[in-house]
């Protein structure tokens, strides 16, 4: 796992958006896995800017979102379908038929989940999956105890997630309105993406970041499954990185990669 520590939220978004931009430039028909929540908002703002100012081309990009609340229609202003259109899709030249967000109103959610998996496969698999992390260590809605081999399915949300979401999206007193279930890609589905990019910022993520990066791989912290992936990048700001035991080492690695590694390669090639 490559751990990059940005000085603040802005630099974090710049790094994350830069990695996504690079992916799209290198492979214009990239399949991107996308995430919702407060964490990726600034990253999406930057991608919109790259589209408007530099012509970053989304016309061939295919997207799959991680999750959606069960029972929320697309046009509900708290649905993830709505969030993605509002924060990104409506502002770039993506082809609407290339957008996939799980359907929270699917009459047979389990059959829908199987179809979603097949669609990902038909698209050739996910090239780059963007992830946030929940306070309980979840990636997508893979709550504690989710199998690390799990596939797209319906999941009951934990009380903490319901509370977090109530505060972020519905207002503190609206907890009763937060859906209790979601359709979510599984940890196994996520691990099949060719590259993973997890981002997190702020003090409230510091202790869970220590657990998933430096603790054991466990289904009780599903983000820890990133340790099993051969190509996972984690970008944190200083606050989210505050409790990392090897923080200075991660910084050292980044510095060495920038300043020294090419020199070593040049010397070896002589
Ligand atoms: P957040 O949510 O980006 O709003 O912190 C992340 C998550 O729950 O996965």
């Amino acid at each position: 796992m490559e751990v990059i520590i940005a000085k603040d939220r802005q630099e974090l978004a710049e790094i994350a958006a830069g990695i996504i931009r690079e992916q799209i430039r290198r492979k214009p028909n990239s399949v991107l896995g996308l995430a919702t929540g407060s964490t990726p908002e600034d990253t999406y703002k930057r991608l919109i800017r790259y589209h408007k100012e530099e012509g970053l081309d989304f016309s061939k990009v295919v997207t799959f979102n991680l999750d959606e609340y069960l029972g929320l229609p697309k046009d509900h202003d708290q649905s993830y379908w709505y969030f993605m259109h509002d924060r990104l899709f409506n502002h770039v030249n993506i082809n609407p038929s290339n957008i996939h967000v799980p359907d929270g109103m699917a009459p047979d959610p389990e059959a829908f989940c199987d179809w979603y998996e097949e669609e990902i496969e038909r698209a050739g698999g996910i090239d780059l999956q963007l992830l946030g992390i929940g306070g309980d260590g979840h990636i997508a809605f893979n709550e504690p105890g989710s199998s690390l081999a799990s596939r797209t399915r319906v999941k009951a949300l934990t009380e903490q997630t319901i509370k977090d979401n109530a505060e972020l999206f519905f207002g503190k007193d609206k907890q009763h309105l937060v859906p209790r279930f979601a359709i979510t890609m599984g940890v196994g589905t996520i691990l099949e993406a060719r590259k993973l990019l997890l981002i997190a910022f702020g003090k409230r993520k510091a202790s869970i970041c220590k657990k998933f990066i430096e603790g054991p791989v466990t289904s009780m912290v599903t983000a820890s499954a990133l340790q099993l992936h051969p190509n996972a990048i984690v970008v944190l700001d200083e606050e989210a990185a505050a409790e990392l035991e090897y923080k200075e080492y991660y910084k050292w690695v980044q510095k060495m990669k920038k300043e020294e590694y090419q020199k070593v390669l040049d010397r070896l090639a002589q």
Side-chain angles (χ1 to χ4, degrees), residues 197-256:
L197 171 59
L198 186 149
I199 55 177
F201 60 73
K203 280 191 214 111
R204 115 188 139 86
K205 298 286 172 74
S207 90
I208 199 66
C209 283
K210 170 161 180 60
K211 279 191 192 145
F212 94 86
I213 295 170
E214 297 180 338
V217 174
T218 166
S219 64
M220 298 316 290
V221 179
T222 54
S224 66
L226 264 71
Q227 295 179 32
L228 301 170
H229 196 281
N231 200 1
I233 303 175
V234 177
V235 191
L236 309 176
D237 73 344
E238 283 282 356
E239 286 187 344
E243 293 183 24
L244 294 177
E245 192 179 334
Y246 286 84
K247 186 173 149 189
E248 293 312 315
Y249 173 66
Y250 307 134
K251 288 186 178 177
W252 169 253
V253 170
Q254 290 304 317
K255 186 169 145 52
M256 285 295 104

Side-chain angles (χ1 to χ4, degrees), residues 110-181:
E110 282 166 34
F112 177 86
C113 292
D114 293 343
W115 176 84
Y116 203 68
E117 288 275 337
E118 285 160 17
E119 277 294 286
I120 295 173
E121 213 175 299
R122 268 193 288 275
I126 293 171
D127 290 304
L128 172 62
Q129 175 67 60
L130 180 63
L131 299 162
I133 180 170
D136 62 4
H138 69 209
I139 43 174
F141 274 130
N142 292 288
E143 301 287 34
S146 293
S147 160
L148 301 185
S150 52
R151 312 300 309 186
T152 303
R153 68 212 184 289
V154 174
K155 195 72 198 161
L157 307 181
T158 62
E159 252 180 73
Q160 182 177 346
T161 300
I162 292 168
K163 199 167 138 276
D164 287 351
N165 288 345
E167 285 174 16
L168 284 168
F169 298 110
F170 293 79
K172 270 192 179 117
D173 55 333
K174 303 280 174 58
Q175 201 163 316
H176 60 289
L177 295 177
V178 183
R180 268 42 187 164
F181 296 92

